[in-house]
Amino acid sequence: ATETGGKLNALQLGDDAARADIRIYLDADVSVSRALIPAIIAALETEAPRYASGTPEIAPAQSPVTRAYARFWQKLPFVSNGVPGFGLFAVNAPGRARWQAWPDIISDDTFARLNFAPSERVRVPETYRWPMIEGLSGLIRVRRRQDRGVKEIGEKFPGLLKNADPAASSGTGKLKAILRDPLGFVVYGFIALCVRLPGGKGDWARGR
């Protein structure tokens, strides 16, 4: 136990205690494949600053809403082709030197990722499994918090926005995704709409 609670304080305490050059930040409810950690270490064994993560898999959901949302969400280019790092990300020593102490922010994974240009991020094919929150209200609450976290970084660290991921996809690509999974798109779009409606502060909740 520590006098100061919170995830960011825990990350800082871990960094202060760590002696290895490579730092792997892993959420408690994430499970990794046997080959993932060696693959990440190999990807980060360079003198150049690097950020790395594995290939995410969403754990099987119980609620129909979460299943539909997750199914469509996993097809988004940010998730399917990028290096999102939700639940698990890692940096080498030159990469960790990009910032000092962890700032008091909502989205630590977004902050870490945006300290690196897209060309400095490495996605290894080995997988890890990440659970998504169940149910409509939970998804809305978490998505609202996620959006607030991205907005906060833009306000506090505007210089990091230059490292934002490239534009997601073309209109044709989006249309194909919708046609492949119209129900998933409806659920995803409905939640995105609800997030933008006034009201609701979105208390902290696990998942995205």
Side-chain angles (χ1 to χ4, degrees):
T2 64
E3 294 182 1
T4 304
K7 182 179 180 181
L8 275 302
N9 182 60
L11 292 178
Q12 189 60 52
L13 290 174
D15 274 342
D16 292 342
R19 296 295 177 264
D21 289 338
I22 292 174
R23 309 290 170 85
I24 300 176
Y25 305 92
L26 174 69
D27 284 1
D29 52 1
V30 166
S31 59
V32 303
S33 60
R34 186 183 297 272
L36 176 61
I37 301 304
I40 285 179
I41 291 173
L44 294 178
E45 287 182 330
T46 172
E47 295 182 0
R50 287 292 182 269
Y51 167 102
S53 187
T55 298
E57 295 179 341
I58 305 302
Q62 302 300 313
S63 71
V65 169
T66 297
R67 285 199 298 270
Y69 181 90
R71 193 173 61 241
F72 189 83
W73 184 76
Q74 289 179 91
K75 296 182 177 71
L76 298 177
F78 170 72
V79 180
S80 62
N81 301 322
V83 194
F86 49 81
L88 184 153
F89 61 90
V91 297
N92 59 9
R96 182 59 184 85
R98 289 278 171 93
W99 69 95
Q100 299 302 312
W102 285 94
D104 184 15
I105 53 175
I106 295 171
S107 185
D108 56 279
D109 53 347
T110 303
F111 172 79
R113 187 178 74 253
L114 292 183
N115 268 277
F116 299 84
S119 61
E120 297 175 316
R121 304 177 204 150
V122 180
R123 175 182 178 132
V124 300
E126 289 74 15
T127 61
Y128 67 96
R129 179 163 287 194
W130 179 84
M132 184 172 283
I133 196 166
E134 298 285 353
L136 179 62
S137 62
L139 288 167
I140 293 171
R141 185 170 67 251
V142 167
R143 176 69 182 271
R144 183 176 288 126
R145 178 180 170 82
Q146 184 182 26
D147 287 359
R148 291 207 321 271
V150 173
K151 181 180 179 182
E152 178 186 46
I153 288 174
E155 293 170 349
K156 292 185 175 181
F157 307 97
L160 295 183
L161 297 183
K162 69 180 185 300
N163 292 329
D165 293 85
S169 64
S170 66
T172 302
K174 291 178 181 177
L175 179 59
K176 288 181 179 178
I178 293 169
L179 292 176
R180 282 195 300 265
D181 188 3
L183 177 59
F185 170 72
V186 169
V187 173
Y188 182 87
F190 178 74
I191 289 172
L193 176 62
C194 290
V195 165
R196 286 161 177 74
L197 294 175
K201 295 183 179 180
D203 297 330
W204 184 90
R206 172 64 186 87
R208 266 72 171 180

